[in-house]
Amino acid sequence: MCLAVPAQIVSVSEGEAVADLDGVRLVVSTALLPDLAPGDLALIHVGFALARIDAAEQALALEALRAAGADDAA
Amino acid sequence: MNPSEPFRDPELARGLARAIAREARARDYAFMEFCGGHTHAISRHGLEDLLPASVRMIHGPGCPVCVLPIGRLDMAIALAQRPGVILASYGDMLRVPGSGGRSLLKAKAEGADVRMIYSPLQAMALAEKNPNREVVFFAVGFETTTPPTAAAMMEARAKGLENFSVFCNHVLTPAAIRAIMETGDAPHLDGFVGPGHVSTMIGAEAYAPAAEAYRKPIVIAGFEPVDVLDAVLRLVRQVNAQEARVENAYSRAAPSAANARAAQITAETMRVRDRFGWRGLGEIAHSALTISDAFADMDAEIRFALEPIDAADHKACACGAVLRGVTRPQECKVFAGACTPETPLGACMVSPEGACAAHYLYGRFRTKVPAA
């Protein structure tokens, strides 16, 4: 119910965007995220783009996660 | 590649599990994952098996379908049965049992015009396409789902639609956390895994008052298995360091502050109810939304002069206690017997985010007692 899925934004027009969810294309409203741009990664929920997923933040997060797991106490 | 893939990496997951095992040695920990989505992630990916015995995960009431009292569903069914009404609903609500074993799906089979939609904008489009019918959108969900309802109402207003209204049952998560902490039989909790997608709308900082008031860490997490393990590790670390703050482990998608546009349109179209009943938690103050005065003409409760219905759960259903984290699904007398996903007695079994559904689908192999 409250789960959103990440999708690639393919194109943007007035109030709407075309999102690619793992190969499936969907038209979503950008009413909540007006400055979405093609190439962005966004969370899609009930026909709306909710939030941009920041690729840089994502990369940093993954690095930190690898480090947290690799920390081996002797 | 699916953008979620890196957060499903088994190596990453195992590394985090090892770190948790190392750091969760000195004592026991009990964390509540608030969201049904987190409960399902934990079950589906077998995360319980990766966590040490010292860490116990307790599911919370974060399933908006599960916490909706039966009376509200009865009201929606009654609405759907009115001549001329098209009731537009998310799929999750269609099979939830109301009083007397009725459901929206059964009402549809009996002739009520119930339409499944996946977006409030589709409900609004139904109103545009059917000017001679009254289209009512059955709005359910936490704060992730609320701004989309608000956006649909704004658009309906802009288009001058007079046959569109909303039956509003949106609920608020911080109030639910408050209620959990204040119920008499609250399980002992050391912290919370907080709602990642809700936080994309209201901002992670919305949980700071609860963390402070109850002195429990709250880690906002995404819904992939690595996200959940990361959150548990951060919670263990905070507990060990005797900290109790909000930590945003989902900063790739959730900001600290609210989405301004979402907040604005929600404030215009909805307002906080004085109180609202929640299955399992009773009446909670300031925990739910109704339509604002400015949009009162779109409030289905006003337009149809809806009588409130106060109905009790099915006698054998333990959903209330399950939602509070006090009873585990397998401890319910009818679990996997009379109550299954095909023949649900309560919302927790039929909702895709329900704790009972999660355990039925992914957890029974652990607790099933072999025949003698």
mmCIF file of all heavy atoms in Angstrom, chain B residues 314-361:
data_model
loop_
_atom_site.group_PDB
_atom_site.id
_atom_site.type_symbol
_atom_site.label_atom_id
_atom_site.label_comp_id
_atom_site.label_asym_id
_atom_site.label_seq_id
_atom_site.Cartn_x
_atom_site.Cartn_y
_atom_site.Cartn_z
ATOM 1 N N HIS B 314 -14.230 -9.558 13.801
ATOM 2 C CA HIS B 314 -14.643 -10.960 13.904
ATOM 3 C C HIS B 314 -14.161 -11.487 15.258
ATOM 4 O O HIS B 314 -13.054 -11.204 15.691
ATOM 5 C CB HIS B 314 -13.988 -11.748 12.764
ATOM 6 C CG HIS B 314 -14.452 -13.157 12.659
ATOM 7 N ND1 HIS B 314 -14.060 -14.146 13.554
ATOM 8 C CD2 HIS B 314 -15.302 -13.759 11.791
ATOM 9 C CE1 HIS B 314 -14.637 -15.286 13.216
ATOM 10 N NE2 HIS B 314 -15.389 -15.072 12.147
ATOM 11 N N LYS B 315 -15.034 -12.251 15.936
ATOM 12 C CA LYS B 315 -14.749 -12.712 17.309
ATOM 13 C C LYS B 315 -13.392 -13.380 17.470
ATOM 14 O O LYS B 315 -12.721 -13.210 18.475
ATOM 15 C CB LYS B 315 -15.835 -13.705 17.761
ATOM 16 C CG LYS B 315 -17.017 -13.064 18.422
ATOM 17 C CD LYS B 315 -17.864 -14.042 19.269
ATOM 18 C CE LYS B 315 -18.209 -15.357 18.609
ATOM 19 N NZ LYS B 315 -19.299 -15.225 17.625
ATOM 20 N N ALA B 316 -13.013 -14.167 16.486
ATOM 21 C CA ALA B 316 -11.784 -14.944 16.643
ATOM 22 C C ALA B 316 -10.545 -14.208 16.146
ATOM 23 O O ALA B 316 -9.428 -14.679 16.308
ATOM 24 C CB ALA B 316 -11.931 -16.262 15.899
ATOM 25 N N CYS B 317 -10.759 -13.036 15.549
ATOM 26 C CA CYS B 317 -9.646 -12.319 14.919
ATOM 27 C C CYS B 317 -8.775 -11.623 15.956
ATOM 28 O O CYS B 317 -9.276 -10.870 16.782
ATOM 29 C CB CYS B 317 -10.221 -11.294 13.938
ATOM 30 S SG CYS B 317 -8.990 -10.229 13.182
ATOM 31 N N ALA B 318 -7.487 -11.865 15.901
ATOM 32 C CA ALA B 318 -6.561 -11.243 16.856
ATOM 33 C C ALA B 318 -5.782 -10.090 16.233
ATOM 34 O O ALA B 318 -4.770 -9.655 16.769
ATOM 35 C CB ALA B 318 -5.595 -12.293 17.399
ATOM 36 N N CYS B 319 -6.271 -9.567 15.105
ATOM 37 C CA CYS B 319 -5.569 -8.480 14.410
ATOM 38 C C CYS B 319 -5.164 -7.333 15.334
ATOM 39 O O CYS B 319 -4.076 -6.785 15.219
ATOM 40 C CB CYS B 319 -6.451 -7.868 13.309
ATOM 41 S SG CYS B 319 -6.248 -8.652 11.708
ATOM 42 N N GLY B 320 -6.056 -6.963 16.235
ATOM 43 C CA GLY B 320 -5.769 -5.830 17.111
ATOM 44 C C GLY B 320 -4.494 -6.053 17.903
ATOM 45 O O GLY B 320 -3.592 -5.212 17.925
ATOM 46 N N ALA B 321 -4.399 -7.211 18.543
ATOM 47 C CA ALA B 321 -3.223 -7.517 19.356
ATOM 48 C C ALA B 321 -1.991 -7.718 18.478
ATOM 49 O O ALA B 321 -0.878 -7.361 18.856
ATOM 50 C CB ALA B 321 -3.481 -8.758 20.205
ATOM 51 N N VAL B 322 -2.196 -8.270 17.280
ATOM 52 C CA VAL B 322 -1.080 -8.466 16.348
ATOM 53 C C VAL B 322 -0.514 -7.108 15.944
ATOM 54 O O VAL B 322 0.701 -6.910 15.902
ATOM 55 C CB VAL B 322 -1.546 -9.265 15.101
ATOM 56 C CG1 VAL B 322 -0.512 -9.203 13.989
ATOM 57 C CG2 VAL B 322 -1.821 -10.711 15.482
ATOM 58 N N LEU B 323 -1.400 -6.155 15.674
ATOM 59 C CA LEU B 323 -0.962 -4.829 15.232
ATOM 60 C C LEU B 323 -0.198 -4.083 16.313
ATOM 61 O O LEU B 323 0.611 -3.212 16.023
ATOM 62 C CB LEU B 323 -2.164 -3.997 14.773
ATOM 63 C CG LEU B 323 -2.722 -4.420 13.417
ATOM 64 C CD1 LEU B 323 -4.109 -3.828 13.207
ATOM 65 C CD2 LEU B 323 -1.785 -3.962 12.307
ATOM 66 N N ARG B 324 -0.475 -4.405 17.577
ATOM 67 C CA ARG B 324 0.233 -3.733 18.676
ATOM 68 C C ARG B 324 1.566 -4.404 18.952
ATOM 69 O O ARG B 324 2.336 -3.937 19.774
ATOM 70 C CB ARG B 324 -0.604 -3.804 19.965
ATOM 71 C CG ARG B 324 -1.667 -2.760 20.070
ATOM 72 C CD ARG B 324 -2.080 -2.528 21.516
ATOM 73 N NE ARG B 324 -2.445 -3.719 22.241
ATOM 74 C CZ ARG B 324 -3.597 -4.344 22.127
ATOM 75 N NH1 ARG B 324 -4.496 -3.915 21.266
ATOM 76 N NH2 ARG B 324 -3.856 -5.422 22.847
ATOM 77 N N GLY B 325 1.820 -5.533 18.293
ATOM 78 C CA GLY B 325 3.065 -6.254 18.541
ATOM 79 C C GLY B 325 2.995 -7.132 19.779
ATOM 80 O O GLY B 325 4.011 -7.624 20.268
ATOM 81 N N VAL B 326 1.781 -7.361 20.281
ATOM 82 C CA VAL B 326 1.615 -8.094 21.532
ATOM 83 C C VAL B 326 1.369 -9.580 21.290
ATOM 84 O O VAL B 326 1.726 -10.435 22.094
ATOM 85 C CB VAL B 326 0.432 -7.455 22.306
ATOM 86 C CG1 VAL B 326 -0.100 -8.361 23.366
ATOM 87 C CG2 VAL B 326 0.852 -6.137 22.887
ATOM 88 N N THR B 327 0.747 -9.871 20.158
ATOM 89 C CA THR B 327 0.496 -11.266 19.784
ATOM 90 C C THR B 327 1.178 -11.520 18.462
ATOM 91 O O THR B 327 1.152 -10.671 17.578
ATOM 92 C CB THR B 327 -1.034 -11.504 19.608
ATOM 93 O OG1 THR B 327 -1.668 -11.359 20.861
ATOM 94 C CG2 THR B 327 -1.321 -12.906 19.060
ATOM 95 N N ARG B 328 1.809 -12.687 18.319
ATOM 96 C CA ARG B 328 2.399 -13.012 17.025
ATOM 97 C C ARG B 328 1.356 -13.721 16.178
ATOM 98 O O ARG B 328 0.488 -14.415 16.728
ATOM 99 C CB ARG B 328 3.635 -13.875 17.220
ATOM 100 C CG ARG B 328 4.796 -13.084 17.812
ATOM 101 C CD ARG B 328 6.002 -13.937 18.092
ATOM 102 N NE ARG B 328 5.712 -15.015 19.028
ATOM 103 C CZ ARG B 328 6.554 -15.999 19.288
ATOM 104 N NH1 ARG B 328 7.715 -16.055 18.678
ATOM 105 N NH2 ARG B 328 6.233 -16.935 20.145
ATOM 106 N N PRO B 329 1.423 -13.564 14.857
ATOM 107 C CA PRO B 329 0.393 -14.181 14.005
ATOM 108 C C PRO B 329 0.148 -15.650 14.339
ATOM 109 O O PRO B 329 -1.003 -16.081 14.438
ATOM 110 C CB PRO B 329 0.985 -14.034 12.595
ATOM 111 C CG PRO B 329 1.812 -12.803 12.677
ATOM 112 C CD PRO B 329 2.382 -12.785 14.063
ATOM 113 N N GLN B 330 1.225 -16.414 14.548
ATOM 114 C CA GLN B 330 1.051 -17.849 14.783
ATOM 115 C C GLN B 330 0.358 -18.140 16.106
ATOM 116 O O GLN B 330 -0.063 -19.272 16.356
ATOM 117 C CB GLN B 330 2.403 -18.592 14.708
ATOM 118 C CG GLN B 330 3.455 -18.141 15.711
ATOM 119 C CD GLN B 330 4.363 -17.048 15.164
ATOM 120 O OE1 GLN B 330 3.929 -16.171 14.406
ATOM 121 N NE2 GLN B 330 5.634 -17.090 15.535
ATOM 122 N N GLU B 331 0.239 -17.121 16.975
ATOM 123 C CA GLU B 331 -0.422 -17.330 18.258
ATOM 124 C C GLU B 331 -1.926 -17.098 18.164
ATOM 125 O O GLU B 331 -2.660 -17.374 19.118
ATOM 126 C CB GLU B 331 0.191 -16.397 19.322
ATOM 127 C CG GLU B 331 1.614 -16.814 19.712
ATOM 128 C CD GLU B 331 2.392 -15.699 20.421
ATOM 129 O OE1 GLU B 331 1.845 -14.590 20.596
ATOM 130 O OE2 GLU B 331 3.565 -15.939 20.757
ATOM 131 N N CYS B 332 -2.396 -16.578 17.039
ATOM 132 C CA CYS B 332 -3.832 -16.371 16.858
ATOM 133 C C CYS B 332 -4.495 -17.722 16.640
ATOM 134 O O CYS B 332 -4.032 -18.523 15.836
ATOM 135 C CB CYS B 332 -4.099 -15.451 15.668
ATOM 136 S SG CYS B 332 -5.838 -15.352 15.208
ATOM 137 N N LYS B 333 -5.604 -17.953 17.330
ATOM 138 C CA LYS B 333 -6.256 -19.272 17.290
ATOM 139 C C LYS B 333 -6.675 -19.706 15.887
ATOM 140 O O LYS B 333 -6.724 -20.887 15.602
ATOM 141 C CB LYS B 333 -7.501 -19.270 18.203
ATOM 142 C CG LYS B 333 -7.157 -19.345 19.685
ATOM 143 C CD LYS B 333 -8.357 -19.734 20.533
ATOM 144 C CE LYS B 333 -9.405 -18.632 20.626
ATOM 145 N NZ LYS B 333 -8.980 -17.510 21.481
ATOM 146 N N VAL B 334 -7.008 -18.731 15.036
ATOM 147 C CA VAL B 334 -7.511 -19.129 13.717
ATOM 148 C C VAL B 334 -6.461 -19.004 12.617
ATOM 149 O O VAL B 334 -6.744 -19.258 11.462
ATOM 150 C CB VAL B 334 -8.766 -18.310 13.336
ATOM 151 C CG1 VAL B 334 -9.931 -18.713 14.202
ATOM 152 C CG2 VAL B 334 -8.497 -16.824 13.428
ATOM 153 N N PHE B 335 -5.228 -18.644 13.014
ATOM 154 C CA PHE B 335 -4.167 -18.473 12.026
ATOM 155 C C PHE B 335 -3.933 -19.761 11.253
ATOM 156 O O PHE B 335 -3.745 -20.825 11.850
ATOM 157 C CB PHE B 335 -2.866 -18.048 12.721
ATOM 158 C CG PHE B 335 -1.703 -17.957 11.781
ATOM 159 C CD1 PHE B 335 -1.537 -16.844 10.973
ATOM 160 C CD2 PHE B 335 -0.774 -18.993 11.687
ATOM 161 C CE1 PHE B 335 -0.472 -16.756 10.087
ATOM 162 C CE2 PHE B 335 0.293 -18.913 10.805
ATOM 163 C CZ PHE B 335 0.446 -17.791 10.005
ATOM 164 N N ALA B 336 -3.959 -19.660 9.940
ATOM 165 C CA ALA B 336 -3.701 -20.799 9.051
ATOM 166 C C ALA B 336 -4.740 -21.897 9.189
ATOM 167 O O ALA B 336 -4.592 -22.969 8.618
ATOM 168 C CB ALA B 336 -2.298 -21.367 9.256
ATOM 169 N N GLY B 337 -5.787 -21.634 9.932
ATOM 170 C CA GLY B 337 -6.882 -22.588 10.040
ATOM 171 C C GLY B 337 -8.056 -22.003 9.285
ATOM 172 O O GLY B 337 -8.121 -22.053 8.064
ATOM 173 N N ALA B 338 -8.941 -21.373 10.036
ATOM 174 C CA ALA B 338 -10.068 -20.691 9.398
ATOM 175 C C ALA B 338 -9.600 -19.458 8.637
ATOM 176 O O ALA B 338 -10.229 -19.032 7.672
ATOM 177 C CB ALA B 338 -11.106 -20.302 10.441
ATOM 178 N N CYS B 339 -8.489 -18.874 9.078
ATOM 179 C CA CYS B 339 -8.019 -17.623 8.481
ATOM 180 C C CYS B 339 -6.774 -17.838 7.629
ATOM 181 O O CYS B 339 -5.707 -18.167 8.155
ATOM 182 C CB CYS B 339 -7.720 -16.599 9.585
ATOM 183 S SG CYS B 339 -7.370 -14.936 8.939
ATOM 184 N N THR B 340 -6.938 -17.717 6.340
ATOM 185 C CA THR B 340 -5.822 -17.867 5.408
ATOM 186 C C THR B 340 -5.938 -16.737 4.389
ATOM 187 O O THR B 340 -6.961 -16.069 4.341
ATOM 188 C CB THR B 340 -5.907 -19.203 4.645
ATOM 189 O OG1 THR B 340 -7.073 -19.163 3.789
ATOM 190 C CG2 THR B 340 -6.002 -20.391 5.575
ATOM 191 N N PRO B 341 -4.908 -16.533 3.558
ATOM 192 C CA PRO B 341 -5.041 -15.473 2.561
ATOM 193 C C PRO B 341 -6.232 -15.679 1.618
ATOM 194 O O PRO B 341 -6.808 -14.711 1.136
ATOM 195 C CB PRO B 341 -3.717 -15.556 1.784
ATOM 196 C CG PRO B 341 -2.750 -16.115 2.776
ATOM 197 C CD PRO B 341 -3.548 -17.091 3.590
ATOM 198 N N GLU B 342 -6.616 -16.933 1.369
ATOM 199 C CA GLU B 342 -7.774 -17.168 0.495
ATOM 200 C C GLU B 342 -9.084 -16.945 1.229
ATOM 201 O O GLU B 342 -10.082 -16.558 0.629
ATOM 202 C CB GLU B 342 -7.762 -18.600 -0.070
ATOM 203 C CG GLU B 342 -6.650 -18.872 -1.080
ATOM 204 C CD GLU B 342 -5.319 -19.081 -0.402
ATOM 205 O OE1 GLU B 342 -5.296 -19.681 0.695
ATOM 206 O OE2 GLU B 342 -4.305 -18.637 -0.950
ATOM 207 N N THR B 343 -9.088 -17.255 2.531
ATOM 208 C CA THR B 343 -10.318 -17.103 3.320
ATOM 209 C C THR B 343 -9.984 -16.269 4.554
ATOM 210 O O THR B 343 -9.937 -16.776 5.675
ATOM 211 C CB THR B 343 -10.874 -18.474 3.786
ATOM 212 O OG1 THR B 343 -9.847 -19.132 4.560
ATOM 213 C CG2 THR B 343 -11.252 -19.347 2.608
ATOM 214 N N PRO B 344 -9.709 -14.972 4.350
ATOM 215 C CA PRO B 344 -9.261 -14.164 5.484
ATOM 216 C C PRO B 344 -10.404 -13.814 6.425
ATOM 217 O O PRO B 344 -11.525 -13.581 5.982
ATOM 218 C CB PRO B 344 -8.740 -12.893 4.790
ATOM 219 C CG PRO B 344 -9.515 -12.799 3.517
ATOM 220 C CD PRO B 344 -9.828 -14.194 3.098
ATOM 221 N N LEU B 345 -10.121 -13.819 7.717
ATOM 222 C CA LEU B 345 -11.106 -13.356 8.686
ATOM 223 C C LEU B 345 -10.811 -11.911 9.086
ATOM 224 O O LEU B 345 -11.671 -11.207 9.592
ATOM 225 C CB LEU B 345 -11.104 -14.239 9.945
ATOM 226 C CG LEU B 345 -11.598 -15.669 9.757
ATOM 227 C CD1 LEU B 345 -11.616 -16.402 11.090
ATOM 228 C CD2 LEU B 345 -12.998 -15.683 9.156
ATOM 229 N N GLY B 346 -9.585 -11.512 8.883
ATOM 230 C CA GLY B 346 -9.183 -10.171 9.281
ATOM 231 C C GLY B 346 -8.223 -9.564 8.274
ATOM 232 O O GLY B 346 -7.643 -10.247 7.442
ATOM 233 N N ALA B 347 -8.051 -8.252 8.398
ATOM 234 C CA ALA B 347 -7.234 -7.510 7.441
ATOM 235 C C ALA B 347 -5.777 -7.924 7.446
ATOM 236 O O ALA B 347 -5.122 -7.894 6.406
ATOM 237 C CB ALA B 347 -7.356 -6.015 7.734
ATOM 238 N N CYS B 348 -5.249 -8.330 8.599
ATOM 239 C CA CYS B 348 -3.818 -8.645 8.680
ATOM 240 C C CYS B 348 -3.439 -9.823 7.790
ATOM 241 O O CYS B 348 -2.272 -9.995 7.457
ATOM 242 C CB CYS B 348 -3.408 -8.952 10.118
ATOM 243 S SG CYS B 348 -3.589 -7.524 11.194
ATOM 244 N N MET B 349 -4.396 -10.649 7.454
ATOM 245 C CA MET B 349 -4.109 -11.811 6.611
ATOM 246 C C MET B 349 -4.290 -11.493 5.137
ATOM 247 O O MET B 349 -3.680 -12.107 4.268
ATOM 248 C CB MET B 349 -5.034 -12.975 7.016
ATOM 249 C CG MET B 349 -4.776 -14.273 6.262
ATOM 250 S SD MET B 349 -3.109 -14.923 6.498
ATOM 251 C CE MET B 349 -3.381 -15.941 7.965
ATOM 252 N N VAL B 350 -5.128 -10.516 4.829
ATOM 253 C CA VAL B 350 -5.425 -10.268 3.417
ATOM 254 C C VAL B 350 -4.599 -9.112 2.846
ATOM 255 O O VAL B 350 -4.388 -9.038 1.645
ATOM 256 C CB VAL B 350 -6.938 -10.020 3.219
ATOM 257 C CG1 VAL B 350 -7.350 -8.680 3.808
ATOM 258 C CG2 VAL B 350 -7.320 -10.106 1.772
ATOM 259 N N SER B 351 -4.122 -8.250 3.709
ATOM 260 C CA SER B 351 -3.364 -7.113 3.201
ATOM 261 C C SER B 351 -1.961 -7.534 2.786
ATOM 262 O O SER B 351 -1.313 -8.307 3.481
ATOM 263 C CB SER B 351 -3.249 -6.046 4.289
ATOM 264 O OG SER B 351 -2.301 -5.078 3.884
ATOM 265 N N PRO B 352 -1.473 -7.031 1.652
ATOM 266 C CA PRO B 352 -0.112 -7.352 1.242
ATOM 267 C C PRO B 352 0.939 -6.860 2.241
ATOM 268 O O PRO B 352 2.090 -7.253 2.153
ATOM 269 C CB PRO B 352 0.061 -6.643 -0.106
ATOM 270 C CG PRO B 352 -1.158 -5.855 -0.326
ATOM 271 C CD PRO B 352 -2.182 -6.204 0.673
ATOM 272 N N GLU B 353 0.536 -6.005 3.172
ATOM 273 C CA GLU B 353 1.489 -5.561 4.184
ATOM 274 C C GLU B 353 1.163 -6.107 5.561
ATOM 275 O O GLU B 353 1.737 -5.697 6.557
ATOM 276 C CB GLU B 353 1.513 -4.024 4.251
ATOM 277 C CG GLU B 353 2.147 -3.424 3.024
ATOM 278 C CD GLU B 353 2.033 -1.903 3.012
ATOM 279 O OE1 GLU B 353 1.007 -1.380 3.466
ATOM 280 O OE2 GLU B 353 2.977 -1.280 2.531
ATOM 281 N N GLY B 354 0.214 -7.020 5.645
ATOM 282 C CA GLY B 354 -0.199 -7.527 6.943
ATOM 283 C C GLY B 354 0.812 -8.501 7.526
ATOM 284 O O GLY B 354 1.424 -9.302 6.822
ATOM 285 N N ALA B 355 0.966 -8.457 8.859
ATOM 286 C CA ALA B 355 1.923 -9.329 9.547
ATOM 287 C C ALA B 355 1.517 -10.792 9.404
ATOM 288 O O ALA B 355 2.368 -11.682 9.283
ATOM 289 C CB ALA B 355 2.017 -8.938 11.017
ATOM 290 N N CYS B 356 0.202 -11.065 9.450
ATOM 291 C CA CYS B 356 -0.250 -12.452 9.349
ATOM 292 C C CYS B 356 0.013 -13.009 7.958
ATOM 293 O O CYS B 356 0.425 -14.162 7.808
ATOM 294 C CB CYS B 356 -1.735 -12.550 9.691
ATOM 295 S SG CYS B 356 -2.078 -12.067 11.393
ATOM 296 N N ALA B 357 -0.221 -12.180 6.956
ATOM 297 C CA ALA B 357 0.053 -12.610 5.575
ATOM 298 C C ALA B 357 1.536 -12.905 5.414
ATOM 299 O O ALA B 357 1.925 -13.898 4.800
ATOM 300 C CB ALA B 357 -0.394 -11.529 4.593
ATOM 301 N N ALA B 358 2.376 -12.030 5.980
ATOM 302 C CA ALA B 358 3.829 -12.220 5.884
ATOM 303 C C ALA B 358 4.235 -13.542 6.512
ATOM 304 O O ALA B 358 5.008 -14.309 5.940
ATOM 305 C CB ALA B 358 4.559 -11.069 6.564
ATOM 306 N N HIS B 359 3.716 -13.800 7.698
ATOM 307 C CA HIS B 359 4.102 -15.031 8.369
ATOM 308 C C HIS B 359 3.545 -16.253 7.654
ATOM 309 O O HIS B 359 4.214 -17.283 7.552
ATOM 310 C CB HIS B 359 3.645 -15.020 9.831
ATOM 311 C CG HIS B 359 4.189 -16.172 10.602
ATOM 312 N ND1 HIS B 359 5.515 -16.282 10.952
ATOM 313 C CD2 HIS B 359 3.600 -17.317 11.035
ATOM 314 C CE1 HIS B 359 5.711 -17.427 11.581
ATOM 315 N NE2 HIS B 359 4.571 -18.081 11.647
ATOM 316 N N TYR B 360 2.325 -16.144 7.144
ATOM 317 C CA TYR B 360 1.715 -17.270 6.438
ATOM 318 C C TYR B 360 2.517 -17.640 5.201
ATOM 319 O O TYR B 360 2.770 -18.806 4.920
ATOM 320 C CB TYR B 360 0.279 -16.916 6.042
ATOM 321 C CG TYR B 360 -0.476 -18.083 5.449
ATOM 322 C CD1 TYR B 360 -1.231 -18.919 6.280
ATOM 323 C CD2 TYR B 360 -0.433 -18.358 4.093
ATOM 324 C CE1 TYR B 360 -1.912 -20.004 5.749
ATOM 325 C CE2 TYR B 360 -1.114 -19.437 3.559
ATOM 326 C CZ TYR B 360 -1.853 -20.252 4.392
ATOM 327 O OH TYR B 360 -2.523 -21.324 3.869
ATOM 328 N N LEU B 361 2.918 -16.578 4.467
ATOM 329 C CA LEU B 361 3.619 -16.819 3.209
ATOM 330 C C LEU B 361 5.063 -17.255 3.408
ATOM 331 O O LEU B 361 5.562 -18.100 2.684
ATOM 332 C CB LEU B 361 3.595 -15.546 2.361
ATOM 333 C CG LEU B 361 2.221 -15.144 1.835
ATOM 334 C CD1 LEU B 361 2.276 -13.752 1.205
ATOM 335 C CD2 LEU B 361 1.719 -16.145 0.804
#
